[in-house]
């Protein structure tokens, strides 16, 4: 096809000889010219393509000129639906291994707390309502919500019983907050004698658990969904309803490490924190070489009301009173239970009680006592009204020193004597991994639970236990195999012992500033344990090293991985009361009030806000707590 004929065709189909279309584009005409001249496209197809393109451009231009339609959200004509909410207490357990602690750092993106997971689940299940949807707020609270100054968490009036640290676990944690109810705000009583709706349902008429049902009158749901119309219909229908199964609903979306156990409605002034009368903690540990009786003696000195400022981490911006009451405690092993309490008992009563409980043998034949083993799993249980920051971990650290024979049990009395010893000596916290918030006790609370939920929770916990039990048994198998099937040279054992003894004497000499001579005691002990052969099993070698040096091939009880890095077989124990001491409470407060730097000025503001402004008399405190302890609820 010639160039002249091509120009003629382009002119006919709407592209001028200049090769520009109506939009001024040159590229389209160049492409089309090439296709026509090469014979790959017919004149008819080219004309149709140009016309279709022009029509599409015209339609697009018309759409852009039309005003955009705004989606009708109903906000102008339709009022926000109000929901009935109920103040409920939730009990749950969690494995804190992978969490940064229980309490949420609100507003921090990197937060990895248990509370963050809990509130995410409440949002996902839509049980947590916005202040605008909250049907149970007071007039002042409604006004604050309308001004956009109240977040959902504040509107829910959330309270927690215990604030566990990073890595700490719980079996009986309790929180309280307002959650959406399955019963509509305008649901009415259903009288047994007529089919007419009665008065609006009050809190006292609602089911106290998710098992009991209630017959009532509710408005049909479609009445509330008509766009642009308020839900003013007076039409009601009779319906039998159950309250939400909060446990099952939340467990369906929570991670397996967090399980809701039960719930019940509570009074409006109930506080999970201040209505709790007792908190119980357990700390688990292997027996190793610990003297449990001595640990029980140390624990007994802590019973009753004491000032625990040397057995906690002082947070002077939040707390000014470090007196706490420990009600009772137990040191529990498979063979024996040592029980102590704040109630004075005679020595005969204590001895009788400590010998009273034994475990039956696994076959149920008689009441045999298992021989103690270094691998026996034991625990200490401590019950108190309330606890300070890191108090349990500090207590366990001191008790482990007593159990290893490094300190006498009377060191507890010195630590509690804050007049003589106002500053805390330096010592490490016991590891968080073994600490469990076992139970939170409320005098007026009766939580409800369902068989279906507890069955599902048990399956989850059994799976968790099996995983760890198998790992434990694998490690034990490896230890037993090495003990029985591995041999070492006697000369190597002697060299190992002498090196540790030499290094230990060097450290003692450095600390005491006096020369420490080798009196030959270690060599005599080695000679007494000398084997007739040049080799011996690893199990026999370990026993000899333990007898001669008093060291063991495992880390001290309660020590974390970071603490273990600084410990060696030659490490020496410095008595607690001879160690460097920190600043006293009075010195800390003085530093907060006098220092004018930016960081300290913020600390001063927090101190004044939490301590000075909230300071109450003893009578006011007593009246407040007495009132809170009477608050509660029941699932029955």
């Amino acid at each position: 096809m010639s160039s002249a004929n091509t120009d003629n065709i382009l002119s006919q189909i709407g592209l001028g000889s200049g090769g520009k279309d109506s939009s001024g584009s040159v590229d389209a005409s160049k492409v089309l010219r090439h296709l026509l001249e090469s014979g790959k496209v017919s004149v008819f197809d080219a004309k149709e393509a140009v016309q279709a393109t022009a029509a599409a451009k015209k339609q697009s231009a018309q759409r852009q000129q039309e005003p955009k339609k705004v989606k009708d959200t109903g906000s102008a004509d339709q009022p926000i639906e109000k929901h009935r909410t109920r103040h409920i207490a939730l009990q749950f357990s969690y494995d804190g291994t992978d969490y940064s602690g229980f309490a949420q750092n609100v507003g921090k993106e990197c937060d990895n707390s248990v509370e963050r997971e809990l509130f995410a689940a409440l949002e996902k299940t839509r049980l947590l309502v916005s202040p605008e949807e909250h049907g149970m707020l007071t007039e002042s609270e409604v006004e604050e919500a309308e001004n956009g100054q109240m977040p959902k968490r504040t509107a829910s009036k959330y309270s927690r019983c215990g604030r566990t640290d990073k890595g700490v676990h719980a079996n009986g944690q309790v929180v309280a907050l307002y959650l959406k109810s399955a019963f509509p705000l305008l649901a009415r009583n259903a009288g047994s004698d007529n089919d007419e709706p009665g008065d609006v349902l009050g809190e006292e008429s609602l089911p106290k658990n998710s098992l009991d049902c209630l017959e009532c009158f509710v408005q049909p749901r479609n009445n509330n969904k008509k766009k642009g119309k308020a839900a003013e219909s007076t039409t009601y229908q009779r319906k039998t309803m159950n309250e939400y199964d909060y446990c099952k609903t939340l467990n369906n979306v929570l991670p397996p490490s967090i399980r809701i156990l039960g719930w019940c409605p509570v009074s409006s002034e109930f506080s999970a924190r201040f209505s709790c009368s007792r908190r119980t903690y357990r700390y688990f540990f292997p027996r190793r070489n610990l003297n449990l009786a001595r640990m029980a003696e140390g624990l007994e000195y802590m019973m009753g009301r004491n000032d625990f400022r040397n057995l906690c981490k002082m947070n002077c911006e939040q707390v000014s009173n470090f007196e706490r009451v420990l009600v009772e405690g137990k040191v529990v092993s498979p063979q024996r239970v040592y029980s102590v309490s704040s109630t004075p008992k005679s020595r005969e009563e204590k001895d009788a009680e400590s010998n009273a409980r034994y475990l039956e043998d696994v076959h149920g034949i008689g009441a045999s006592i298992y021989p103690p083993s270094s691998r026996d799993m034991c625990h200490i249980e401590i019950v108190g009204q309330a606890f300070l920051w890191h108090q349990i971990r500090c207590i366990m650290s001191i008790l482990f020193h007593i159990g290893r024979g490094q300190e006498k049990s009377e060191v507890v009395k010195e630590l509690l004597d804050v007049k003589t010893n106002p500053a805390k000596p330096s010592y490490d916290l016991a590891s968080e991994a073994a600490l469990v918030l076992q139970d939170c006790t409320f005098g007026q609370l009766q939580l409800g639970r369902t068989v279906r939920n507890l069955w599902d929770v048990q399956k989850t916990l059994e799976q968790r236990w099996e995983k760890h039990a198998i790992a434990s048994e694998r490690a034990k198998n490896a230890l037993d195999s090495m003990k029985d099937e591995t041999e070492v040279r006697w000369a190597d054992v002697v060299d190992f012992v002498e090196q540790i003894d030499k290094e230990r004497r060097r450290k003692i000499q450095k600390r005491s500033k006096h020369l420490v001579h080798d009196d030959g005691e270690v060599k005599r002990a080695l000679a007494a344990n000398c084997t007739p052969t040049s080799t011996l099993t690893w199990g026999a070698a370990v026993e000899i090293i333990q007898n001669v040096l008093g060291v063991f091939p495992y880390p001290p009880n309660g020590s974390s991985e970071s603490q273990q890095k600084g410990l060696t077989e030659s490490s020496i124990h410095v008595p607690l009361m001879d160690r460097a001491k920190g600043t006293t409470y009075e010195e800390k407060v003085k530093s907060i009030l006098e220092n004018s730097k930016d960081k300290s000025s913020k600390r001063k503001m927090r101190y004044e806000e939490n301590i000075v402004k909230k300071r109450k008399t003893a009578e006011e405190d007593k009246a407040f707590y007495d009132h809170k302890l009477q608050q509660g609820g029941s699932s029955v």
Side-chain angles (χ1 to χ4, degrees):
M1 182 180 292
S2 66
S3 177
N5 289 336
T6 303
D7 289 340
N8 186 32
I9 293 171
L10 288 174
S11 179
Q12 291 178 13
I13 63 177
L15 295 175
S17 59
K20 293 185 178 181
D21 63 5
S22 58
S23 66
S25 174
V26 183
D27 294 337
S29 63
K30 284 183 178 180
V31 172
L32 195 55
R33 177 186 293 275
H34 172 72
L35 293 173
L36 287 169
E37 289 178 351
S38 63
K40 292 181 179 180
V41 175
S42 67
V43 176
F44 178 78
D45 291 338
K47 188 174 182 178
E48 279 211 340
V50 171
Q51 290 175 347
T53 302
K57 286 184 177 180
K58 184 177 180 181
Q59 189 175 2
S60 176
Q62 289 176 347
R63 279 200 301 268
Q64 290 179 359
Q65 293 175 0
E66 291 177 358
K68 293 184 179 180
K69 293 183 178 180
V70 180
K71 185 177 179 181
D72 181 15
T73 60
S75 58
D77 301 321
Q78 185 178 4
I80 296 175
E81 183 181 358
K82 296 278 188 179
H83 295 286
R84 180 190 295 271
T85 56
R86 304 184 70 181
H87 198 205
I88 68 168
L90 289 172
Q91 183 192 48
F92 56 103
S93 70
Y94 52 86
D95 182 335
T97 304
D98 298 325
Y99 295 103
S100 59
F102 178 71
Q104 182 179 8
N105 291 318
V106 180
K108 297 287 183 70
E109 292 184 5
C110 59
D111 178 73
N112 181 34
S113 62
V114 176
E115 265 185 3
R116 180 175 177 271
E117 294 286 353
L118 176 62
F119 274 91
L122 291 170
E123 290 274 11
K124 190 171 184 178
T125 54
R126 303 189 178 219
L127 291 174
L128 193 67
V129 301
S130 66
E132 295 79 10
E133 300 171 309
H134 202 306
M136 313 300 285
L137 295 179
T138 63
E139 290 185 9
S140 60
E141 290 170 337
V142 170
E143 184 178 348
E144 184 180 351
E146 289 174 348
N147 294 332
Q149 299 175 349
M150 182 183 289
K152 286 185 179 181
R153 180 170 172 145
T154 304
S156 71
K157 300 183 180 180
Y158 175 78
S159 62
R160 68 173 83 91
C161 184
R163 180 172 178 149
T164 56
D165 299 323
K166 177 182 178 181
V168 178
H169 323 284
N171 287 339
Q173 178 70 278
V174 174
V175 299
L177 72 172
Y178 278 88
L179 295 182
K180 184 167 70 173
S181 171
F183 291 83
L185 188 61
L186 299 179
R188 294 178 174 272
N189 284 308
S192 57
D193 299 332
N194 55 63
D195 293 331
E196 294 298 323
D199 297 332
V200 174
L201 284 174
E203 173 64 32
E204 66 283 352
S205 303
L206 298 175
K208 297 181 179 180
N209 53 66
S210 54
L211 297 176
D212 296 340
C213 56
L214 177 68
E215 196 170 15
C216 60
F217 281 96
V218 297
Q219 292 179 337
R221 290 183 61 84
N222 58 3
N223 282 351
N224 300 329
K225 293 185 177 180
K226 294 178 181 178
K227 291 186 177 180
K229 292 184 180 181
E232 297 176 350
S233 172
T234 56
T235 303
Y236 284 86
Q237 63 181 19
R238 200 180 190 103
K239 191 174 182 180
T240 301
M241 299 179 62
N242 293 77
E243 186 54 276
Y244 288 135
D245 189 342
Y246 294 105
C247 300
K248 181 180 178 182
T249 302
L250 290 170
N251 284 339
N252 284 340
V253 296
L254 282 167
S257 54
I258 305 173
R259 296 289 88 182
I260 309 295
L261 303 176
W263 73 275
C264 75
V266 291
S267 55
S268 60
E269 294 190 59
F270 175 86
S271 166
R273 177 184 178 186
F274 297 117
S275 299
C276 180
S277 58
R278 289 188 180 186
R279 294 166 175 86
T280 302
Y281 282 90
R282 285 183 180 177
Y283 196 99
F284 294 86
F285 56 92
R287 181 195 292 271
R288 298 304 193 188
N289 62 321
L290 296 173
N291 185 325
L292 301 184
R294 292 286 179 86
M295 295 175 73
E297 289 177 7
L299 183 61
E300 185 178 14
Y301 287 123
M302 301 179 195
M303 293 296 109
R305 183 179 296 277
N306 292 288
D307 191 315
F308 285 91
R309 68 181 63 192
N310 290 332
L311 289 165
C312 73
K313 183 174 181 179
M314 283 193 289
N315 183 1
C316 300
E317 300 164 26
Q318 302 283 343
V319 180
S320 60
N321 179 12
F322 298 94
E323 285 192 353
R324 294 294 184 270
V325 178
L326 299 191
V327 180
E328 60 185 47
K330 293 178 183 178
V331 181
V332 181
S333 73
Q335 297 79 22
R336 195 169 186 176
V337 175
Y338 298 91
S339 180
V340 298
S341 72
S342 57
T343 304
K345 295 180 180 179
S346 67
R347 179 60 59 184
E348 293 75 16
E349 287 177 319
K350 291 176 186 173
D351 291 340
E353 186 177 54
S354 65
N355 285 289
R357 293 180 57 187
Y358 296 96
L359 292 179
E360 294 182 356
D361 67 37
V362 293
H363 301 294
I365 303 172
S368 61
I369 302 176
Y370 298 118
S373 165
S374 64
R375 292 178 187 163
D376 285 341
M377 286 308 301
C378 310
H379 71 265
I380 285 182
E381 181 176 289
I382 300 176
V383 183
Q385 293 178 352
F387 293 89
L388 297 161
W389 191 13
H390 290 333
Q391 184 179 346
I392 297 293
R393 293 171 64 187
C394 286
I395 288 174
M396 289 308 306
S397 181
I398 301 302
L399 292 181
F400 283 140
H401 280 305
I402 295 171
R404 287 192 290 268
Q406 296 169 329
E407 298 284 346
K408 294 182 178 180
S409 57
E410 285 77 15
V411 74
V412 174
K413 297 169 68 176
E414 296 184 70
L415 291 169
L416 295 176
D417 184 1
V418 295
K419 290 184 178 179
T420 307
N421 301 294
K424 176 185 174 183
S426 175
Y427 59 87
D428 291 325
L429 289 172
S431 170
E432 73 282 356
L435 181 58
V436 178
L437 174 57
Q438 181 66 18
D439 185 42
C440 300
T441 304
F442 298 82
Q444 307 297 324
L445 192 67
Q446 188 174 356
L447 292 157
R449 303 168 181 88
T450 64
V451 171
R452 167 49 63 189
N453 182 63
L454 291 183
W455 183 270
D456 292 340
V457 170
Q458 174 145 352
K459 288 198 296 184
T460 301
L461 295 179
E462 290 281 2
Q463 186 177 10
R464 188 190 305 170
W465 169 85
E466 183 175 322
K467 176 183 176 181
H468 293 296
I470 291 173
S472 172
E473 199 61 27
R474 287 201 316 266
K476 180 177 179 295
N477 176 64
L479 288 168
D480 291 341
S481 298
M482 188 168 65
K483 175 182 175 182
D484 300 329
E485 301 169 10
T486 308
E487 292 189 345
V488 294
R489 292 182 181 181
W490 170 250
D492 194 15
V493 173
V494 172
D495 185 55
F496 179 81
V497 170
E498 290 181 344
Q499 284 183 14
I500 293 176
D501 179 57
K502 182 179 179 180
E503 180 65 17
R504 183 184 289 176
R505 284 188 284 108
R506 186 190 67 79
K507 291 181 179 180
I508 294 174
Q509 180 177 315
K510 182 179 179 181
R511 176 167 180 79
S512 64
K513 308 296 184 182
H514 298 292
L515 185 64
V516 180
H517 296 283
D518 180 9
D519 58 4
E521 183 180 350
V522 170
K523 289 185 178 180
R524 289 192 295 272
L526 284 171
N529 287 277
C530 183
T531 60
T533 59
S534 61
T535 62
L536 67 164
T537 64
W538 175 241
V542 168
E543 188 174 347
I544 290 171
I545 294 169
Q546 290 175 348
N547 293 336
V548 175
L549 292 175
V551 297
F552 302 87
Y554 42 75
N557 292 84
S559 59
S560 63
E561 291 184 9
S562 60
Q563 294 166 4
Q564 293 167 19
K565 292 179 181 178
L567 296 172
T568 65
E569 288 71 23
S570 61
S571 296
I572 60 172
H573 174 74
V574 179
L576 280 170
M577 304 313 294
D578 293 344
R579 299 183 183 184
K581 295 179 173 60
T583 52
T584 65
Y585 170 74
E586 291 74 20
E587 291 170 342
K588 290 179 184 288
V589 172
K590 184 178 180 181
S591 174
I592 292 172
L593 297 178
E594 292 184 353
N595 203 319
S596 59
K597 293 180 180 179
D598 291 340
K599 185 176 180 180
S600 294
S601 63
K602 292 181 180 178
R603 295 180 63 198
K604 181 178 179 180
M605 289 173 61
R606 289 195 292 266
Y607 173 81
E608 291 176 345
E609 184 67 29
N610 295 314
I611 303 299
V612 179
K613 293 182 180 179
K614 294 182 180 179
R615 188 170 289 155
K616 297 178 181 178
T617 64
E619 292 76 15
E620 289 174 328
D621 267 342
K622 185 178 185 305
F624 173 80
Y625 285 107
D626 285 348
H627 174 69
K628 286 296 183 182
L629 289 172
Q630 295 304 314
Q631 305 303 311
S634 172
S635 63
V636 180

